[in-house]
Amino acid sequence: MKKDIEIPQVEDLYVAAVREKHEEYGTQDWNAYLINAGEKPLETVLIVSRGYDGNKETSTMRHTIKVLPAKSFAKVEFLEEKVLALNNEFSISFFSEGKMFHKNYIFRKNTINEKALQELPVMTKKGVLLK
């Protein structure tokens, strides 16, 4: 029975941490983005995020994006400096072409930093990218 369940593979969906200037406060903040580099829109995108390391754990955050169009991106959440020292997990589920998809993305502790910046797909910015 279990062998008959089809679990489609997630492709062209990325999570990125981007360092940006906060216009109101003038600070340089890290923000998490979801990037759809695919040719199809994603519907009912559910994002559950949390930070953890041993006995340290953040609150669980939940976000929804009704539709993430093809070749687009959306800001998910602000990443406070203190949580960068933790593992930051983003569990993402969505529908596309009548099928449900799911994938976990994990920024390992201390991997979100200036040295890890690279060009991001779809966005015209640099960031730390998870595929």
Short mmCIF file of all heavy atoms in Angstrom, two decimals, residues 51-105:
data_model
loop_
_atom_site.label_atom_id
_atom_site.label_comp_id
_atom_site.label_asym_id
_atom_site.label_seq_id
_atom_site.Cartn_x
_atom_site.Cartn_y
_atom_site.Cartn_z
N GLY A 51 12.95 27.65 14.76
CA GLY A 51 14.37 27.58 15.01
C GLY A 51 14.62 26.65 16.17
O GLY A 51 13.83 26.60 17.10
N TYR A 52 15.74 25.89 16.11
CA TYR A 52 16.02 24.95 17.19
C TYR A 52 17.51 24.61 17.23
O TYR A 52 18.22 24.69 16.24
CB TYR A 52 15.20 23.67 17.03
CG TYR A 52 15.51 22.92 15.75
CD1 TYR A 52 16.52 21.96 15.70
CD2 TYR A 52 14.81 23.20 14.58
CE1 TYR A 52 16.82 21.30 14.53
CE2 TYR A 52 15.11 22.54 13.40
CZ TYR A 52 16.11 21.59 13.38
OH TYR A 52 16.41 20.94 12.22
N ASP A 53 17.96 24.21 18.40
CA ASP A 53 19.31 23.70 18.61
C ASP A 53 19.35 23.13 20.02
O ASP A 53 19.35 23.90 21.00
CB ASP A 53 20.37 24.78 18.43
CG ASP A 53 21.78 24.24 18.58
OD1 ASP A 53 22.01 23.07 18.22
OD2 ASP A 53 22.66 24.99 19.04
N GLY A 54 19.37 21.84 20.13
CA GLY A 54 19.37 21.20 21.46
C GLY A 54 18.12 21.57 22.22
O GLY A 54 17.00 21.37 21.75
N ASN A 55 18.29 22.17 23.40
CA ASN A 55 17.13 22.54 24.22
C ASN A 55 16.62 23.95 23.91
O ASN A 55 15.66 24.40 24.52
CB ASN A 55 17.45 22.39 25.71
CG ASN A 55 18.60 23.29 26.15
OD1 ASN A 55 19.25 23.93 25.32
ND2 ASN A 55 18.84 23.34 27.45
N LYS A 56 17.26 24.66 22.99
CA LYS A 56 16.78 25.99 22.58
C LYS A 56 15.80 25.82 21.42
O LYS A 56 16.08 25.10 20.47
CB LYS A 56 17.93 26.88 22.13
CG LYS A 56 18.92 27.22 23.21
CD LYS A 56 20.01 28.10 22.64
CE LYS A 56 21.06 28.39 23.69
NZ LYS A 56 22.17 29.16 23.12
N GLU A 57 14.68 26.52 21.53
CA GLU A 57 13.69 26.44 20.45
C GLU A 57 12.88 27.74 20.40
O GLU A 57 12.55 28.31 21.42
CB GLU A 57 12.75 25.25 20.70
CG GLU A 57 11.88 24.94 19.53
CD GLU A 57 11.17 23.60 19.67
OE1 GLU A 57 11.65 22.72 20.39
OE2 GLU A 57 10.10 23.47 19.04
N THR A 58 12.58 28.17 19.17
CA THR A 58 11.76 29.36 18.99
C THR A 58 10.29 28.97 18.93
O THR A 58 9.95 27.79 18.88
CB THR A 58 12.11 30.09 17.67
OG1 THR A 58 11.74 29.24 16.58
CG2 THR A 58 13.57 30.45 17.60
N SER A 59 9.44 29.95 18.89
CA SER A 59 8.03 29.70 18.64
C SER A 59 7.88 29.19 17.21
O SER A 59 8.70 29.50 16.34
CB SER A 59 7.22 30.99 18.77
OG SER A 59 7.33 31.49 20.07
N THR A 60 6.84 28.43 16.97
CA THR A 60 6.54 27.97 15.62
C THR A 60 5.71 29.04 14.94
O THR A 60 4.73 29.52 15.50
CB THR A 60 5.76 26.64 15.66
OG1 THR A 60 6.57 25.67 16.32
CG2 THR A 60 5.40 26.16 14.28
N MET A 61 6.16 29.45 13.75
CA MET A 61 5.44 30.47 12.97
C MET A 61 4.74 29.78 11.81
O MET A 61 5.28 28.84 11.22
CB MET A 61 6.43 31.50 12.43
CG MET A 61 7.29 32.16 13.49
SD MET A 61 6.39 33.28 14.54
CE MET A 61 6.22 34.64 13.45
N ARG A 62 3.54 30.27 11.48
CA ARG A 62 2.78 29.71 10.35
C ARG A 62 2.40 30.85 9.40
O ARG A 62 1.95 31.90 9.84
CB ARG A 62 1.54 29.00 10.86
CG ARG A 62 1.87 27.75 11.63
CD ARG A 62 0.62 27.13 12.28
NE ARG A 62 0.94 25.91 12.98
CZ ARG A 62 1.46 25.85 14.20
NH1 ARG A 62 1.74 26.96 14.86
NH2 ARG A 62 1.72 24.69 14.78
N HIS A 63 2.58 30.59 8.11
CA HIS A 63 2.27 31.59 7.08
C HIS A 63 1.52 30.90 5.94
O HIS A 63 1.71 29.71 5.69
CB HIS A 63 3.55 32.20 6.51
CG HIS A 63 4.52 32.66 7.55
ND1 HIS A 63 4.41 33.88 8.17
CD2 HIS A 63 5.60 32.07 8.09
CE1 HIS A 63 5.40 34.01 9.05
NE2 HIS A 63 6.13 32.93 9.02
N THR A 64 0.70 31.68 5.25
CA THR A 64 -0.02 31.18 4.08
C THR A 64 0.12 32.18 2.94
O THR A 64 0.02 33.38 3.15
CB THR A 64 -1.53 31.01 4.39
OG1 THR A 64 -1.68 30.13 5.50
CG2 THR A 64 -2.27 30.43 3.20
N ILE A 65 0.34 31.64 1.76
CA ILE A 65 0.33 32.45 0.54
C ILE A 65 -0.71 31.80 -0.36
O ILE A 65 -0.58 30.62 -0.71
CB ILE A 65 1.72 32.45 -0.14
CG1 ILE A 65 2.79 33.00 0.80
CG2 ILE A 65 1.67 33.23 -1.45
CD1 ILE A 65 4.21 32.81 0.31
N LYS A 66 -1.75 32.55 -0.71
CA LYS A 66 -2.83 31.97 -1.53
C LYS A 66 -2.32 31.49 -2.87
O LYS A 66 -2.58 30.37 -3.28
CB LYS A 66 -3.97 32.97 -1.71
CG LYS A 66 -4.76 33.19 -0.45
CD LYS A 66 -5.96 34.07 -0.69
CE LYS A 66 -6.70 34.26 0.63
NZ LYS A 66 -7.95 34.96 0.44
N VAL A 67 -1.60 32.36 -3.58
CA VAL A 67 -1.03 31.99 -4.87
C VAL A 67 0.35 32.63 -5.00
O VAL A 67 0.50 33.83 -4.76
CB VAL A 67 -1.91 32.45 -6.06
CG1 VAL A 67 -1.25 32.13 -7.39
CG2 VAL A 67 -3.29 31.82 -6.00
N LEU A 68 1.33 31.82 -5.36
CA LEU A 68 2.67 32.32 -5.67
C LEU A 68 2.87 32.09 -7.16
O LEU A 68 3.10 30.96 -7.59
CB LEU A 68 3.73 31.59 -4.84
CG LEU A 68 5.16 32.10 -4.99
CD1 LEU A 68 5.27 33.57 -4.57
CD2 LEU A 68 6.12 31.25 -4.17
N PRO A 69 2.72 33.15 -7.97
CA PRO A 69 2.80 32.99 -9.42
C PRO A 69 4.15 32.42 -9.88
O PRO A 69 5.14 32.48 -9.15
CB PRO A 69 2.62 34.42 -9.95
CG PRO A 69 1.96 35.16 -8.84
CD PRO A 69 2.46 34.53 -7.58
N ALA A 70 4.17 31.89 -11.10
CA ALA A 70 5.41 31.40 -11.69
C ALA A 70 6.41 32.54 -11.78
O ALA A 70 6.04 33.70 -11.95
CB ALA A 70 5.12 30.83 -13.08
N LYS A 71 7.68 32.21 -11.64
CA LYS A 71 8.78 33.18 -11.75
C LYS A 71 8.58 34.38 -10.83
O LYS A 71 8.71 35.53 -11.23
CB LYS A 71 8.95 33.66 -13.19
CG LYS A 71 9.17 32.56 -14.20
CD LYS A 71 10.54 31.97 -14.05
CE LYS A 71 10.76 30.94 -15.16
NZ LYS A 71 11.93 30.13 -14.93
N SER A 72 8.22 34.10 -9.56
CA SER A 72 8.00 35.18 -8.60
C SER A 72 8.54 34.77 -7.23
O SER A 72 9.01 33.66 -7.04
CB SER A 72 6.52 35.53 -8.51
OG SER A 72 5.81 34.48 -7.87
N PHE A 73 8.44 35.70 -6.28
CA PHE A 73 8.92 35.44 -4.93
C PHE A 73 8.03 36.19 -3.95
O PHE A 73 7.33 37.13 -4.31
CB PHE A 73 10.38 35.85 -4.77
CG PHE A 73 10.66 37.29 -5.12
CD1 PHE A 73 10.60 38.28 -4.16
CD2 PHE A 73 10.97 37.65 -6.42
CE1 PHE A 73 10.85 39.60 -4.47
CE2 PHE A 73 11.24 38.97 -6.76
CZ PHE A 73 11.18 39.95 -5.78
N ALA A 74 8.09 35.78 -2.69
CA ALA A 74 7.32 36.43 -1.63
C ALA A 74 8.13 36.41 -0.34
O ALA A 74 8.77 35.41 0.00
CB ALA A 74 6.00 35.71 -1.41
N LYS A 75 8.09 37.53 0.38
CA LYS A 75 8.74 37.59 1.69
C LYS A 75 7.91 36.77 2.67
O LYS A 75 6.69 36.90 2.73
CB LYS A 75 8.84 39.03 2.18
CG LYS A 75 9.67 39.18 3.45
CD LYS A 75 9.66 40.58 4.01
CE LYS A 75 10.47 41.51 3.17
NZ LYS A 75 10.64 42.85 3.83
N VAL A 76 8.61 35.94 3.43
CA VAL A 76 7.94 35.06 4.39
C VAL A 76 8.00 35.64 5.79
O VAL A 76 6.99 35.81 6.45
CB VAL A 76 8.54 33.64 4.37
CG1 VAL A 76 7.90 32.76 5.43
CG2 VAL A 76 8.40 33.02 2.98
N GLU A 77 9.24 35.95 6.26
CA GLU A 77 9.36 36.48 7.61
C GLU A 77 10.72 37.12 7.86
O GLU A 77 11.69 36.84 7.16
CB GLU A 77 9.10 35.39 8.65
CG GLU A 77 10.17 34.32 8.74
CD GLU A 77 9.83 33.19 9.72
OE1 GLU A 77 8.64 32.90 9.90
OE2 GLU A 77 10.76 32.63 10.28
N PHE A 78 10.75 37.94 8.87
CA PHE A 78 11.97 38.57 9.38
C PHE A 78 12.73 37.53 10.19
O PHE A 78 12.14 36.77 10.96
CB PHE A 78 11.57 39.78 10.24
CG PHE A 78 12.65 40.28 11.15
CD1 PHE A 78 13.75 40.96 10.64
CD2 PHE A 78 12.57 40.09 12.51
CE1 PHE A 78 14.75 41.43 11.48
CE2 PHE A 78 13.56 40.56 13.37
CZ PHE A 78 14.65 41.23 12.84
N LEU A 79 14.06 37.48 10.03
CA LEU A 79 14.89 36.57 10.80
C LEU A 79 15.73 37.39 11.79
O LEU A 79 16.68 38.07 11.40
CB LEU A 79 15.82 35.77 9.88
CG LEU A 79 15.14 34.86 8.87
CD1 LEU A 79 16.14 34.33 7.86
CD2 LEU A 79 14.44 33.71 9.58
N GLU A 80 15.37 37.33 13.03
CA GLU A 80 16.10 38.07 14.07
C GLU A 80 17.53 37.52 14.19
O GLU A 80 17.76 36.31 14.04
CB GLU A 80 15.37 37.93 15.41
CG GLU A 80 15.96 38.77 16.50
CD GLU A 80 15.18 38.65 17.80
OE1 GLU A 80 14.01 38.27 17.78
OE2 GLU A 80 15.79 38.93 18.84
N GLU A 81 18.49 38.40 14.45
CA GLU A 81 19.90 38.01 14.55
C GLU A 81 20.12 36.81 15.49
O GLU A 81 20.93 35.94 15.21
CB GLU A 81 20.76 39.19 15.01
CG GLU A 81 20.94 40.26 13.97
CD GLU A 81 21.88 39.89 12.83
OE1 GLU A 81 22.79 39.06 13.02
OE2 GLU A 81 21.69 40.45 11.74
N LYS A 82 19.41 36.78 16.61
CA LYS A 82 19.60 35.71 17.59
C LYS A 82 19.25 34.34 17.03
O LYS A 82 19.86 33.34 17.43
CB LYS A 82 18.75 35.98 18.84
CG LYS A 82 19.23 37.15 19.66
CD LYS A 82 18.33 37.37 20.85
CE LYS A 82 18.75 38.61 21.62
NZ LYS A 82 17.85 38.89 22.75
N VAL A 83 18.29 34.25 16.12
CA VAL A 83 17.88 32.93 15.60
C VAL A 83 18.84 32.41 14.54
O VAL A 83 18.78 31.24 14.16
CB VAL A 83 16.43 32.91 15.06
CG1 VAL A 83 15.44 33.33 16.12
CG2 VAL A 83 16.28 33.70 13.81
N LEU A 84 19.76 33.24 14.06
CA LEU A 84 20.73 32.78 13.06
C LEU A 84 21.71 31.78 13.67
O LEU A 84 22.32 30.99 12.94
CB LEU A 84 21.47 33.97 12.45
CG LEU A 84 20.60 35.03 11.78
CD1 LEU A 84 21.48 36.13 11.19
CD2 LEU A 84 19.68 34.44 10.75
N ALA A 85 21.85 31.77 14.99
CA ALA A 85 22.71 30.81 15.68
C ALA A 85 22.00 29.48 15.90
O ALA A 85 22.58 28.55 16.47
CB ALA A 85 23.17 31.39 17.02
N LEU A 86 20.76 29.37 15.44
CA LEU A 86 19.99 28.13 15.54
C LEU A 86 19.79 27.54 14.15
O LEU A 86 19.97 28.20 13.14
CB LEU A 86 18.61 28.42 16.15
CG LEU A 86 18.56 29.13 17.51
CD1 LEU A 86 17.11 29.44 17.87
CD2 LEU A 86 19.21 28.27 18.58
N ASN A 87 19.39 26.27 14.10
CA ASN A 87 18.92 25.68 12.85
C ASN A 87 17.56 26.29 12.56
O ASN A 87 16.71 26.33 13.45
CB ASN A 87 18.79 24.16 12.98
CG ASN A 87 20.11 23.49 13.24
OD1 ASN A 87 21.08 23.70 12.54
ND2 ASN A 87 20.15 22.66 14.27
N ASN A 88 17.35 26.78 11.35
CA ASN A 88 16.07 27.38 10.99
C ASN A 88 15.41 26.53 9.92
O ASN A 88 15.90 26.43 8.79
CB ASN A 88 16.28 28.81 10.49
CG ASN A 88 16.60 29.74 11.63
OD1 ASN A 88 15.71 30.21 12.32
ND2 ASN A 88 17.88 29.98 11.87
N GLU A 89 14.29 25.92 10.28
CA GLU A 89 13.59 24.99 9.40
C GLU A 89 12.34 25.63 8.82
O GLU A 89 11.57 26.28 9.55
CB GLU A 89 13.20 23.73 10.17
CG GLU A 89 12.45 22.72 9.34
CD GLU A 89 12.11 21.46 10.12
OE1 GLU A 89 12.02 21.52 11.36
OE2 GLU A 89 11.92 20.43 9.48
N PHE A 90 12.15 25.43 7.52
CA PHE A 90 10.95 25.89 6.82
C PHE A 90 10.31 24.66 6.19
O PHE A 90 10.88 24.05 5.28
CB PHE A 90 11.30 26.93 5.75
CG PHE A 90 11.80 28.22 6.32
CD1 PHE A 90 13.12 28.37 6.71
CD2 PHE A 90 10.93 29.28 6.50
CE1 PHE A 90 13.58 29.55 7.26
CE2 PHE A 90 11.37 30.47 7.06
CZ PHE A 90 12.70 30.60 7.43
N SER A 91 9.14 24.30 6.67
CA SER A 91 8.39 23.17 6.15
C SER A 91 7.31 23.73 5.22
O SER A 91 6.44 24.48 5.66
CB SER A 91 7.76 22.40 7.31
OG SER A 91 7.03 21.30 6.82
N ILE A 92 7.39 23.38 3.93
CA ILE A 92 6.52 24.01 2.93
C ILE A 92 5.67 22.97 2.22
O ILE A 92 6.18 21.98 1.70
CB ILE A 92 7.37 24.80 1.92
CG1 ILE A 92 8.19 25.85 2.68
CG2 ILE A 92 6.49 25.43 0.85
CD1 ILE A 92 9.20 26.57 1.86
N SER A 93 4.36 23.22 2.19
CA SER A 93 3.40 22.38 1.47
C SER A 93 2.61 23.28 0.53
O SER A 93 2.31 24.43 0.88
CB SER A 93 2.44 21.69 2.44
OG SER A 93 3.14 20.90 3.37
N PHE A 94 2.27 22.76 -0.64
CA PHE A 94 1.50 23.54 -1.61
C PHE A 94 0.84 22.62 -2.64
O PHE A 94 1.17 21.43 -2.72
CB PHE A 94 2.39 24.57 -2.32
CG PHE A 94 3.51 23.95 -3.12
CD1 PHE A 94 3.36 23.67 -4.47
CD2 PHE A 94 4.73 23.67 -2.53
CE1 PHE A 94 4.38 23.10 -5.20
CE2 PHE A 94 5.77 23.11 -3.25
CZ PHE A 94 5.59 22.81 -4.59
N PHE A 95 -0.07 23.20 -3.40
CA PHE A 95 -0.74 22.49 -4.49
C PHE A 95 -0.28 23.08 -5.82
O PHE A 95 -0.12 24.29 -5.94
CB PHE A 95 -2.26 22.62 -4.39
CG PHE A 95 -2.85 21.87 -3.23
CD1 PHE A 95 -3.05 22.50 -2.02
CD2 PHE A 95 -3.18 20.53 -3.35
CE1 PHE A 95 -3.59 21.81 -0.94
CE2 PHE A 95 -3.71 19.83 -2.28
CZ PHE A 95 -3.92 20.48 -1.07
N SER A 96 -0.10 22.21 -6.80
CA SER A 96 0.21 22.63 -8.16
C SER A 96 -0.30 21.55 -9.10
O SER A 96 -0.03 20.36 -8.87
CB SER A 96 1.71 22.85 -8.35
OG SER A 96 1.98 23.33 -9.65
N GLU A 97 -1.04 21.95 -10.11
CA GLU A 97 -1.60 21.03 -11.09
C GLU A 97 -2.38 19.89 -10.45
O GLU A 97 -2.29 18.74 -10.86
CB GLU A 97 -0.51 20.49 -12.00
CG GLU A 97 0.18 21.57 -12.81
CD GLU A 97 1.20 21.00 -13.78
OE1 GLU A 97 1.98 20.10 -13.39
OE2 GLU A 97 1.20 21.47 -14.93
N GLY A 98 -3.13 20.22 -9.40
CA GLY A 98 -3.99 19.23 -8.75
C GLY A 98 -3.28 18.25 -7.84
O GLY A 98 -3.90 17.30 -7.36
N LYS A 99 -1.99 18.44 -7.58
CA LYS A 99 -1.24 17.55 -6.70
C LYS A 99 -0.70 18.34 -5.52
O LYS A 99 -0.40 19.51 -5.64
CB LYS A 99 -0.05 16.92 -7.43
CG LYS A 99 -0.44 15.98 -8.54
CD LYS A 99 0.80 15.39 -9.18
CE LYS A 99 0.43 14.49 -10.34
NZ LYS A 99 1.63 14.00 -11.03
N MET A 100 -0.56 17.64 -4.40
CA MET A 100 0.02 18.26 -3.22
C MET A 100 1.51 17.93 -3.17
O MET A 100 1.91 16.79 -3.40
CB MET A 100 -0.65 17.78 -1.95
CG MET A 100 -0.14 18.47 -0.72
SD MET A 100 -1.08 17.98 0.72
CE MET A 100 -0.49 19.17 1.88
N PHE A 101 2.32 18.95 -2.85
CA PHE A 101 3.77 18.81 -2.74
C PHE A 101 4.20 19.22 -1.34
O PHE A 101 3.54 20.02 -0.70
CB PHE A 101 4.48 19.73 -3.75
CG PHE A 101 4.28 19.34 -5.19
CD1 PHE A 101 3.09 19.66 -5.85
CD2 PHE A 101 5.28 18.69 -5.89
CE1 PHE A 101 2.91 19.33 -7.17
CE2 PHE A 101 5.10 18.36 -7.22
CZ PHE A 101 3.92 18.67 -7.87
N HIS A 102 5.34 18.67 -0.91
CA HIS A 102 5.87 19.04 0.41
C HIS A 102 7.39 18.91 0.39
O HIS A 102 7.94 17.98 -0.20
CB HIS A 102 5.31 18.15 1.52
CG HIS A 102 5.89 18.48 2.85
ND1 HIS A 102 5.43 19.51 3.61
CD2 HIS A 102 6.93 17.94 3.54
CE1 HIS A 102 6.15 19.58 4.72
NE2 HIS A 102 7.06 18.65 4.70
N LYS A 103 8.06 19.86 1.08
CA LYS A 103 9.51 19.77 1.23
C LYS A 103 9.94 20.57 2.45
O LYS A 103 9.38 21.61 2.74
CB LYS A 103 10.22 20.31 -0.01
CG LYS A 103 11.73 20.11 0.03
CD LYS A 103 12.37 20.44 -1.30
CE LYS A 103 13.87 20.22 -1.22
NZ LYS A 103 14.53 20.50 -2.49
N ASN A 104 10.95 20.04 3.16
CA ASN A 104 11.56 20.75 4.29
C ASN A 104 12.87 21.37 3.85
O ASN A 104 13.65 20.73 3.13
CB ASN A 104 11.83 19.80 5.46
CG ASN A 104 10.56 19.38 6.15
OD1 ASN A 104 9.58 20.11 6.16
ND2 ASN A 104 10.56 18.20 6.73
N TYR A 105 13.11 22.59 4.27
CA TYR A 105 14.34 23.32 3.99
C TYR A 105 14.94 23.71 5.33
O TYR A 105 14.22 24.23 6.19
CB TYR A 105 14.07 24.59 3.19
CG TYR A 105 13.48 24.34 1.82
CD1 TYR A 105 12.11 24.13 1.65
CD2 TYR A 105 14.29 24.36 0.69
CE1 TYR A 105 11.57 23.93 0.39
CE2 TYR A 105 13.76 24.16 -0.57
CZ TYR A 105 12.40 23.95 -0.71
OH TYR A 105 11.87 23.75 -1.97
#
